């Protein structure tokens, strides 16, 4: 009972975050035309969209291959499953980053775009946090200067 309630609470929060990010994408493009990128809210919207995109790409990469890797390799992707290779590289599918889930030495179930997307989203998120900090400090200094003049 408790696990079901927690599951639905998490599902509800993810749905709200997804809807918020759809709205943010529209607002980001509108803000580019109106120079709203000089305001903190534009950067907060970009941070939210970037974190959501990066998390979605990471979850997509982690779930590549499903529950049965052998079945995914052979039946879905038509690749031979090399159990010797998998035994020699047991830690690869369990790593948090970079994501890999290889059928054999030459075929990875994780799409090639996943790892660069996660890195790009991380870099953009750090940039957003730095700009938000810079905007906050510069506005606080402007208010302080204004108080000192009066």
């Amino acid at each position: 009972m408790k696990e079901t309630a927690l599951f639905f609470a998490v599902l509800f929060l993810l749905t709200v975050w997804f809807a918020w990010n759809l709205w943010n994408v529209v607002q980001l493009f509108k803000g580019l035309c109106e120079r709203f990128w000089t305001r903190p809210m534009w950067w907060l919207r970009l941070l939210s969209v970037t974190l959501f995109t990066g998390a979605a790409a990471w979850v997509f990469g982690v779930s590549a291959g499903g529950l049965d890797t052998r079945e995914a390799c052979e039946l879905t992707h038509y690749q031979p499953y090399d159990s010797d290779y998998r035994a020699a590289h047991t830690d690869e599918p369990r790593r948090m980053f970079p994501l890999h889930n290889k059928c054999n030495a030459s075929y990875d179930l994780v799409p090639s775009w996943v790892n660069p997307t996660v890195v790009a989203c991380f870099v953009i998120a750090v940039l957003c946090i730095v700009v938000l900090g810079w905007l906050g400090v510069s506005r606080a200094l402007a208010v302080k200067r204004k108080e000192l003049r009066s």
Side-chain angles (χ1 to χ4, degrees), residues 33-145:
C33 298
E34 300 169 4
R35 289 187 43 95
F36 283 158
W37 54 270
T38 59
R39 298 184 182 164
M41 188 61 181
W42 191 88
W43 289 97
L44 190 62
R45 290 179 195 274
L46 182 61
L47 176 63
S48 179
V49 169
T50 301
L51 290 177
F52 187 83
T53 304
W58 185 82
V59 168
F60 186 83
V62 166
S63 63
L67 298 176
D68 189 358
T69 306
R70 177 186 295 273
E71 188 174 293
C73 291
E74 293 174 350
L75 300 177
T76 307
H77 297 277
Y78 308 108
Q79 293 293 320
Y81 182 82
D82 187 357
S83 55
D84 294 333
Y85 178 84
R86 297 275 299 184
H89 299 91
T90 56
D91 62 327
E92 261 189 18
R94 291 188 211 116
R95 276 192 292 180
M96 297 288 283
F97 191 80
L99 299 173
H100 292 291
N101 194 3
K102 294 188 173 190
C103 296
N104 50 49
S106 63
Y107 191 81
D108 195 352
L109 292 172
V110 177
S112 61
W113 58 267
V114 170
N115 289 322
T117 301
V118 171
V119 169
C121 288
F122 176 77
V123 169
I124 293 170
V126 169
L127 173 72
C128 290
I129 291 169
V130 167
V131 170
L132 281 168
W134 178 71
L135 288 172
V137 168
S138 66
R139 288 175 191 250
L141 290 175
V143 168
K144 191 73 164 169
R145 283 188 207 118

Side-chain angles (χ1 to χ4, degrees), residues 4-37:
T4 307
L6 180 63
F7 172 75
F8 283 115
V10 168
L11 186 63
F12 175 74
L13 288 174
L14 287 174
T15 305
V16 168
W17 193 25
F18 178 71
W20 164 253
N21 283 308
L22 286 178
W23 172 253
N24 282 339
V25 168
V26 172
Q27 296 303 313
L28 285 171
F29 285 112
K30 282 171 73 175
L32 280 176
C33 298
E34 300 169 4
R35 289 187 43 95
F36 283 158
W37 54 270

